């Protein structure tokens, strides 16, 4: 029997703010400057997770067959990222959904594979931090998505069962984590993840503006 809906759990990058597309553009440019193509399918392997599946620095070294200066590439990627990000705002439908959920008494949480400083910083900058009762990041777990640890920890902290929550995700890695935790998952792909394969999801939305409670 399906229990009463009690909580929404949100991914962060690419769902609340599209921080993922600028990172792809930044590394795509760096690769092009070295005469190497960085395909979206290859880059998407690390979306929603860590660099274990695809490490952009090491892969570039493999393609060039020589070592590169990791610190130099890091600084350059951050410069390009900031230029592409510009004044990134909250993605469509996010604020409306948060307000509607709070009005209905639905509890709100974030479960992200990014670092605590990264997630907390953006949420505070965007004025969203106080919406969320629970915020868990890579600093709180041993394994990030697609491992379910982040979602299981978030459920435990909220004190709700898996069938009392809905997860919102933009990546296959996030979807796998939600499925492994036994939580219904609504996928909301962004520019980077739109063409990827998503299986076993509850519903697909073009943006959170489509979500009605």
């Amino acid at each position: 029997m399906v229990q009463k809906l009690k909580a929404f759990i949100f991914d962060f990058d690419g769902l609340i703010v599209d921080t993922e597309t600028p990172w792809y553009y930044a590394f795509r440019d760096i690769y092009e400057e070295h005469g190497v193509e960085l395909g979206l399918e290859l880059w998407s392997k690390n979306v929603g997770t860590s660099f274990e599946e695809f490490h952009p620095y090491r892969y570039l070294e493999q393609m060039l067959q020589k070592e590169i200066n990791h610190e130099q590439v890091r600084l350059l990627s951050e410069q390009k990222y900031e230029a592409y990000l510009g004044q990134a705002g909250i993605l469509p439908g996010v604020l409306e959904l948060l307000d509607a959920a709070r009005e209905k008494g639905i509890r709100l949480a974030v479960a992200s594979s990014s670092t605590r400083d990264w997630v907390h910083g953006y949420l505070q900058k965007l004025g969203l931090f106080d919406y969320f009762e629970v915020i868990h990041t890579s600093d709180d777990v041993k394994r990030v998505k697609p491992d379910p640890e982040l979602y299981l920890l978030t459920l435990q902290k909220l004190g709700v069962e898996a069938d009392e929550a809905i997860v919102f995700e933009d990546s296959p890695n996030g979807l796998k984590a939600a499925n492994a935790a036994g939580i219904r998952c609504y996928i909301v792909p962004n520019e980077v993840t739109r063409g990827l394969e998503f299986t076993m999801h509850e519903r697909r939305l073009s943006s959170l503006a489509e979500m009605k409670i």
Side-chain angles (χ1 to χ4, degrees):
M1 183 177 71
V2 176
Q3 301 296 317
K4 179 183 177 182
L5 178 63
K6 294 182 179 179
F8 285 159
I9 307 175
F10 294 79
D11 177 46
F12 177 71
D13 291 287
L15 183 82
I16 292 177
V17 182
D18 188 6
T19 55
E20 289 173 350
T21 303
W23 275 126
Y24 169 62
Y25 288 163
F27 277 95
R28 181 197 61 184
D29 289 355
I30 292 171
Y31 272 54
E32 286 180 354
E33 290 166 8
H34 286 85
V36 178
E37 181 180 353
L38 177 59
L40 190 55
E41 184 176 348
L42 185 60
W43 174 260
S44 65
K45 289 183 178 181
N46 67 28
V47 174
T49 185
S50 64
F51 278 166
E52 287 185 14
E53 184 72 20
F54 167 72
H55 198 297
Y57 296 50
R58 294 173 190 156
Y59 183 79
L60 183 57
E61 287 178 326
Q62 290 173 14
M63 296 301 292
L64 297 175
Q65 295 186 333
K66 65 178 183 180
E67 292 184 357
I68 59 173
N69 187 319
H70 287 212
E71 179 64 13
Q72 188 176 31
V73 171
R74 183 186 67 80
L75 292 173
L76 182 58
S77 69
E78 289 177 354
Q79 291 172 2
K80 290 180 177 292
Y81 169 80
E82 291 294 338
Y84 277 119
L85 183 66
Q87 297 298 317
I90 303 167
L91 283 168
V94 172
L95 190 57
E96 293 80 2
L97 181 56
L98 294 178
D99 283 333
R102 190 156 65 175
E103 184 178 332
K104 296 286 187 181
I106 297 173
R107 299 163 73 186
L108 300 170
V110 168
S112 170
S113 292
S114 293
T115 64
R116 182 182 295 123
D117 287 346
W118 176 267
V119 175
H120 283 212
Y122 268 106
L123 289 176
Q124 290 168 342
K125 179 180 178 181
L126 296 168
L128 299 179
F129 186 84
D130 291 337
Y131 276 93
F132 299 101
E133 180 179 343
V134 174
I135 301 172
H136 282 313
T137 67
S138 61
D139 296 85
D140 302 308
V141 294
K142 293 181 180 179
R143 298 171 298 277
V144 295
K145 305 168 189 175
D147 190 279
E149 187 178 2
L150 268 166
Y151 282 125
L152 294 173
L153 181 63
T154 302
L155 288 175
Q156 182 181 20
K157 187 70 172 181
L158 287 169
V160 302
E161 299 297 325
D163 60 357
E164 296 174 328
I166 289 176
V167 160
F168 296 97
E169 273 286 356
D170 68 296
S171 73
N173 284 316
L175 173 60
K176 290 174 184 176
N179 284 338
I183 314 173
R184 289 171 287 169
C185 186
Y186 286 24
I187 59 166
V188 194
N190 56 49
E191 183 177 345
V192 169
T193 62
R194 199 166 292 138
L196 303 180
E197 183 179 354
F198 292 87
T199 58
M200 296 178 63
H201 54 275
E202 183 87 2
R203 188 177 172 194
R204 181 175 180 135
L205 307 172
S206 60
S207 79
L208 285 176
E210 292 183 9
M211 180 65 189
K212 306 299 180 186
I213 301 178

